[in-house]
Amino acid sequence: MDMATPHISAEKGDFAKTVLMPGDPLRAKFIAETFLTDAVEVNHTRGILGYTGLYKGKRVSVMASGMGIPAIGIYSWELFNFYDVDNIIRIGSAGSYTDSAKLFDTVLATGAVSESNYARVQSGNDHDITFPSEELNDKLRASAKKQGIKLIEGNIHSSDVFYRQPSDAKPTYWELLRDERGCLCVEMESFALFANAEALGKNAACLLTISDSFVSPEITTAEQRQKSFTDMMKVALGAEY
C-alpha cells in the first residue's frame, strides 16, 4: 500500500516501530551499514536517507532528520503520524557548555530548552522546555548500564541559531542557559522532537555525543562525527523497546 508523504517516499510498514534519527544522512547510511543486518533503503527523498534492518534480530530503522527544528519537526511528525512509529531516538552531536561534558562524552537529555516558537505554533505549548519520554529514557539508561557506558544527564539547549552575533553582555547567553537552566550542551533539534511526541502520545528521547566545546578548544572532524560516536549508537540500539 502506497503511503508517500511530500517528504518521505516509503510505503506503509517500511519503518520499524523504533527509529534512530541522526541529523546527517551519511551518518544514517553508516549506522545501517555498520550495525544492521539485512538493511534496506526505504527513503531517499531530498537526500534524507532512511533504512530498516535488524539489530541482533530486532527490527529497527534509522533515518536522517536534516538540520534544525523545522526539519526534524516535519520528519518526526510524519513518522509518528503516518507511519505508525512509536519511538524516535535522536542521536546527534552537541557543543558542550561545561567542563563536566567533555569531548566524546554521551549525554542523555532530560529536557530541551529553546527560544524556538515551534511548540507554541504547532500545538499551543507556550513553555520554553519540552521533555522526553521517561519510559524511553529508562530503557536507554538500562542499555547503557548493561554495556558499561557512562551517561551524563541533564537539560540541553535546542538552538534556532548556529551563528550568533558576538555580544558584550556578561554573562553571555550560553552561560545563562548553563547557569540558570542547567543546560549541559547545545544542539538544534530535540525541542521539536519532544513537542511532537507529546502532542501525538508517542515516545521520544535524545542521546548526544559531545563534538566540540564552548569551554575547551578541542573539536572533532566531520569524519569523526560520522563514524566515531559508537557509544551513543550502542546505547540506542541496545535498548529493549
Side-chain angles (χ1 to χ4, degrees):
M1 176 182 176
D2 290 339
M3 187 57 196
T5 71
H7 313 99
I8 301 175
S9 53
E11 297 181 0
K12 190 83 167 179
D14 280 352
F15 287 101
K17 290 295 186 180
T18 297
V19 177
L20 309 187
M21 186 160 270
D24 183 357
L26 292 180
R27 194 181 302 164
K29 184 174 187 290
F30 172 78
I31 294 167
E33 292 176 347
T34 304
F35 293 96
L36 304 185
T37 57
D38 302 322
V40 176
E41 182 184 290
V42 295
N43 188 67
H44 59 263
T45 301
R46 297 172 181 247
I48 296 295
L49 301 175
Y51 303 85
T52 296
L54 299 175
Y55 180 75
K56 297 183 178 179
K58 176 176 60 182
R59 192 167 185 256
V60 64
S61 296
V62 55
M63 191 177 86
S65 69
M67 289 190 292
I69 282 172
I72 199 170
I74 290 171
Y75 289 113
S76 62
W77 183 272
E78 292 184 356
L79 288 173
F80 281 143
N81 202 44
F82 301 126
Y83 288 96
D84 297 327
V85 170
D86 290 334
N87 310 300
I88 295 178
I89 302 169
R90 166 160 157 69
I91 46 175
S93 57
S96 177
Y97 280 167
T98 170
D99 285 330
S100 65
K102 302 182 186 305
L103 211 64
F104 293 115
D105 280 350
T106 303
V107 173
L108 177 67
T110 57
V113 177
S114 186
E115 65 279 2
S116 171
N117 284 322
Y118 180 90
R120 180 182 62 81
V121 174
Q122 197 278 331
S123 59
N125 180 350
D126 60 359
H127 299 291
D128 67 353
I129 184 169
T130 58
F131 298 98
S133 160
E134 192 59 32
E135 178 183 357
L136 190 51
N137 269 11
D138 281 344
K139 292 177 179 180
L140 294 171
R141 291 181 182 109
S143 173
K145 183 178 181 180
K146 184 177 181 180
Q147 298 180 76
I149 296 171
K150 179 184 175 183
L151 296 179
I152 298 171
E153 298 191 28
N155 286 342
I156 63 172
H157 174 207
S158 291
S159 181
D160 261 347
V161 176
F162 189 87
Y163 296 106
R164 186 181 298 277
Q165 285 288 83
S167 171
D168 293 330
K170 296 294 181 183
T172 63
Y173 181 65
W174 69 266
E175 287 170 329
L176 285 172
L177 285 164
R178 178 192 65 191
D179 297 340
E180 294 185 3
R181 305 304 301 272
C183 291
L184 297 171
C185 57
V186 59
E187 51 92 72
M188 301 188 74
E189 286 83 23
S190 295
F191 183 79
L193 173 62
F194 296 168
N196 280 353
E198 180 181 359
L200 293 169
K202 301 284 188 170
N203 301 311
C206 173
L207 288 165
L208 299 166
T209 300
I210 299 300
S211 61
D212 55 272
S213 176
F214 281 70
V215 295
S216 167
E218 294 179 300
I219 191 169
T220 57
T221 66
E223 184 176 3
Q224 285 175 317
R225 289 192 295 275
Q226 181 181 328
K227 295 184 178 180
S228 299
F229 295 171
T230 54
D231 280 355
M232 170 178 66
M233 296 172 192
K234 288 177 180 177
V235 172
L237 287 165
E240 297 296 329
Y241 317 118

